[in-house]
C-alpha cells in the first residue's frame, strides 16, 4: 500500500489521500467594483482542475478578511455576500470530484498593496497610486527600503481584526469549505506579530513570546469558535525567518525552537494541523534551497510537539512525496508549482506507486 494515498482522518473529516494543493495566489480577481475580490472563471477552472486530477485537498490562495488585507488589489477576499456565493460554485465542484475544499484566510499586513508578481516584480504600490493604499502592521517598520511604512495597529484595530477573521471563517463555512487554514506565514500580518524581527511593540502584543503570540492565538480562538467542532482548522507557519549573524541585521528573528513551542500552544487552542513552510518575513535572509528543504522543520514539529503536519518546499516527484509520508516526516505533502505544471500529478503519482485515486468518469479512457 502507498502511504501517500492512504486516507487521513482529521476530526470527522476524511481526506482521501495525503497529496494536497498548497495555496497559490493567482492575482486574477477584480480590483474594484461589485465583483472586487470575487473568484471568477479562472479560479473555478484552476481549483476544480486539480480536484479532477486526484488531489486530496485543495486549499485556495490567501483569501483576505478585509480589502486592505489583500497582498495585491487583484487578490481574493471573503468579506461580502457576492464573494460567498461565488465560492459555493467552486466548493461544489471540488466535492463532486471526491476532494476536500479548504480555504486559507489571511491578512497581508505590511506586505499589502503590492503589484502582481509578473508586473515590476511585485513592487509595492504607493497609497497615491491607482489601487494602492497604506498598509498596516504591528510596528511602523516597512518590509524593505522600497516598501511603504505601515501604520501601527491600535489595540482597538487589533480587536476588529480578530472579528474579521472570525467573520470570514463563518462565511467560508457558508460557502461550503470543510477546512479553514489561518495564514501565519511568509511575512504576512500574523507572522509579523510572531517575529521579533518585525514586531517592536511595547504593549500586550509585543516583546515577550507570550505577547507576540497573543494575537495569533486570539485569531485561532475566534475562528475555532465559529468553525464546527467536527471540522479541522489548520495554521500555516514560517518555521524560521532564516536569519543569522551573516545577514547584516542584528534583529532577532523567529526560530525553529519558537515554532515547536508554538505548535504545542496551537494544539491546545484547537488547531489540527500545522502547514509548515519557512521565510518571507526578512528580505535579506539567506535560504539554502533544495529538494525538500523545508521538510525537516515539519518533521521536528511532528516529533516534538505531537501535532499533525503538512510538508512543503520543492517536492516534485511521486517517490519523494511517498517517502516523506512513509518515513513519518509529515502527515501530508502540499504541492505548489508542480501542480501548476501538472494538474493531474496525483493520478500520475498513483499510477507510479501502484495506488488507486479518484478519476472522473469522463476520463476513464485514460486510466
Amino acid at each position: 500500500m502507498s502511504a501517500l494515498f492512504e486516507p487521513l482522518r482529521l476530526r470527522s473529516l476524511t481526506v482521501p489521500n495525503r497529496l494536497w494543493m498548497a495555496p497559490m495566489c493567482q492575482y486574477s480577481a477584480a480590483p474594484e467594483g461589485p465583483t472586487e475580490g470575487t473568484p471568477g472563471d479562472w479560479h473555478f477552472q484552476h481549483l476544480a482542475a486539480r480536484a479532477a486530477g486526484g488531489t486530496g485537498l485543495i486549499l485556495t490562495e490567501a483569501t483576505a478578511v478585509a480589502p486592505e488585507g489583500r497582498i495585491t488589489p487583484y487578490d481574493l477576499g471573503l468579506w461580502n455576500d457576492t464573494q460567498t456565493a461565488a465560492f459555493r460554485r467552486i466548493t461544489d465542484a471540488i466535492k463532486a470530484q471526491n476532494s476536500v475544499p479548504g480555504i486559507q484566510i489571511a491578512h497581508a499586513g505590511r506586505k499589502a498593496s503590492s503589484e502582481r508578481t509578473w508586473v515590476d516584480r511585485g513592487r509595492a504600490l504607493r497609497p497615491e497610486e491607482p489601487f494602492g493604499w497604506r498598509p498596516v502592521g504591528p510596528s511602523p517598520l516597512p518590509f524593505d527600503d522600497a516598501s511603504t511604512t505601515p501604520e501601527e495597529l491600535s489595540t482597538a484595530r487589533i480587536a476588529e481584526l480578530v472579528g474579521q477573521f472570525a467573520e470570514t471563517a463563518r462565511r467560508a463555512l457558508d460557502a461550503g469549505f470543510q477546512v479553514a487554514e489561518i495564514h501565519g506565514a511568509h511575512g504576512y500580518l500574523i507572522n509579523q506579530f510572531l517575529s521579533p524581527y518585525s514586531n517592536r511593540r511595547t504593549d500586550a502584543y509585543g516583546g515577550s513570546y507570550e505577547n507576540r503570540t497573543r494575537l495569533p492565538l486570539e485569531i485561532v480562538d475566534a475562528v475555532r469558535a465559529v468553525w464546527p467542532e467536527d471540522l479541522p482548522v489548520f495554521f500555516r507557519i514560517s518555521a524560521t525567518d532564516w536569519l543569522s549573524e551573516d545577514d547584516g541585521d542584528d534583529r532577532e528573528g523567529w526560530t525553529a525552537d519558537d515554532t515547536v513551542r508554538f505548535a504545542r500552544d496551537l494544539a491546545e487552542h484547537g488547531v489540527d494541523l500545522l502547514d509548515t513552510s519557512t521565510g518571507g518575513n526578512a528580505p535579506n535572509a539567506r535560504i539554502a534551497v533544495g529538494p525538500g528543504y523545508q521538510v525537516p522543520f515539519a518533521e521536528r514539529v511532528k516529533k516534538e510537539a505531537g501535532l499533525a503536519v503538512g510538508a512543503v518546499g520543492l517536492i516534485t516527484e511521486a517517490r519523494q512525496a511517498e517517502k516523506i509520508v512513509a518515513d513519518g516526516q509529515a502527515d501530508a505533502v502540499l504541492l505548489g508549482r508542480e501542480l501548476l505544471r501538472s494538474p493531474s500529478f496525483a493520478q500520475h503519482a498513483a499510477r507510479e506507486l501502484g495506488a488507486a485515486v479518484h478519476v472522473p468518469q469522463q476520463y476513464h479512457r485514460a486510466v
Side-chain angles (χ1 to χ4, degrees):
M1 294 293 292
S2 165
L4 188 63
F5 287 94
E6 280 288 301
L8 178 62
R9 187 174 178 86
L10 297 164
R11 300 198 182 220
S12 70
L13 182 69
T14 299
V15 186
N17 61 56
R18 315 293 184 96
L19 203 157
W20 301 350
M21 179 174 170
M24 291 176 283
C25 288
Q26 298 296 292
Y27 313 115
S28 297
E32 63 179 358
T35 60
E36 179 184 12
T38 301
D41 288 347
W42 176 263
H43 304 92
F44 177 86
Q45 66 81 27
H46 169 65
L47 297 167
R50 276 75 192 170
T55 310
L57 185 149
I58 307 292
L59 282 167
T60 67
E61 65 187 76
T63 302
V65 300
E68 66 275 11
R70 292 171 294 173
I71 304 165
T72 81
Y74 306 92
D75 290 355
L76 294 182
L78 187 49
W79 62 78
N80 65 41
D81 292 344
T82 300
Q83 296 158 348
T84 305
F87 271 118
R88 286 195 199 104
R89 177 186 178 218
I90 292 172
T91 59
D92 286 347
I94 292 171
K95 291 173 185 175
Q97 297 304 322
N98 197 40
S99 186
V100 173
I103 185 169
Q104 186 184 73
I105 56 178
H107 192 295
R110 70 177 184 173
K111 292 177 80 172
S113 188
S114 298
E115 251 299 358
R116 292 159 291 185
T117 54
W118 58 78
V119 179
D120 295 335
R121 298 184 177 182
R123 68 173 179 84
L125 287 173
R126 298 295 179 184
E128 63 272 14
E129 291 186 80
F131 305 134
W133 66 91
R134 187 182 179 191
V136 297
S139 303
L141 299 170
F143 175 68
D144 58 22
D145 293 341
S147 298
T148 302
T149 299
E151 178 185 351
E152 181 173 292
L153 286 163
S154 66
T155 53
R157 183 69 181 90
I158 288 172
E160 183 181 343
L161 268 167
V162 174
Q164 288 173 330
F165 270 88
E167 174 62 13
T168 292
R170 186 192 64 76
R171 287 185 175 278
L173 183 67
D174 187 33
F177 287 100
Q178 294 173 290
V179 173
E181 176 172 276
I182 298 165
H183 196 355
H186 302 158
Y188 300 120
L189 184 70
I190 293 175
N191 190 182
Q192 292 162 28
F193 270 87
L194 286 171
S195 176
Y197 180 83
S198 46
N199 184 345
R200 292 301 185 89
R201 300 178 74 95
T202 57
D203 63 2
Y205 292 95
S208 68
Y209 166 88
E210 290 78 10
N211 283 358
R212 286 182 284 107
T213 59
R214 189 181 307 278
L215 173 60
L217 292 177
E218 287 179 349
I219 289 172
V220 169
D221 289 345
V223 169
R224 187 76 266 183
V226 300
W227 199 250
E229 183 66 24
D230 63 340
L231 291 178
V233 169
F234 294 178
F235 190 100
R236 190 166 222 199
I237 197 164
S238 281
T240 176
D241 284 339
W242 291 103
L243 291 176
S244 72
E245 295 178 357
D246 299 328
D247 293 318
D249 197 311
D250 60 359
R251 280 186 279 180
E252 178 186 0
W254 182 262
T255 69
D257 289 342
D258 293 326
T259 294
V260 172
R261 181 180 179 183
F262 189 50
R264 298 188 184 109
D265 294 338
L266 290 171
E268 291 178 0
H269 285 256
V271 168
D272 301 283
L273 182 140
L274 192 68
D275 181 359
T276 314
S277 188
T278 63
N281 196 39
N284 56 337
R286 300 182 184 182
I287 305 174
V289 176
Y293 71 104
Q294 297 177 121
V295 175
F297 296 97
E299 181 180 17
R300 186 176 169 194
V301 168
K302 183 172 174 62
K303 291 181 175 177
E304 297 182 30
L307 183 62
V309 294
V312 305
L314 287 181
I315 301 170
T316 60
E317 299 177 356
R319 295 194 183 278
Q320 176 195 17
E322 170 75 13
K323 182 173 172 52
I324 290 167
V325 177
D327 289 354
Q329 294 178 285
D331 298 276
V333 296
L334 292 95
L335 304 188
R337 291 174 176 86
E338 195 59 31
L339 276 175
L340 296 183
R341 289 185 282 266
S342 179
S344 297
F345 180 93
Q347 291 168 4
H348 301 313
R351 189 176 301 115
E352 181 177 342
L353 298 170
V357 71
H358 172 77
V359 178
Q361 291 180 340
Q362 295 88 336
Y363 292 172
H364 71 91
R365 299 177 187 84
V367 176

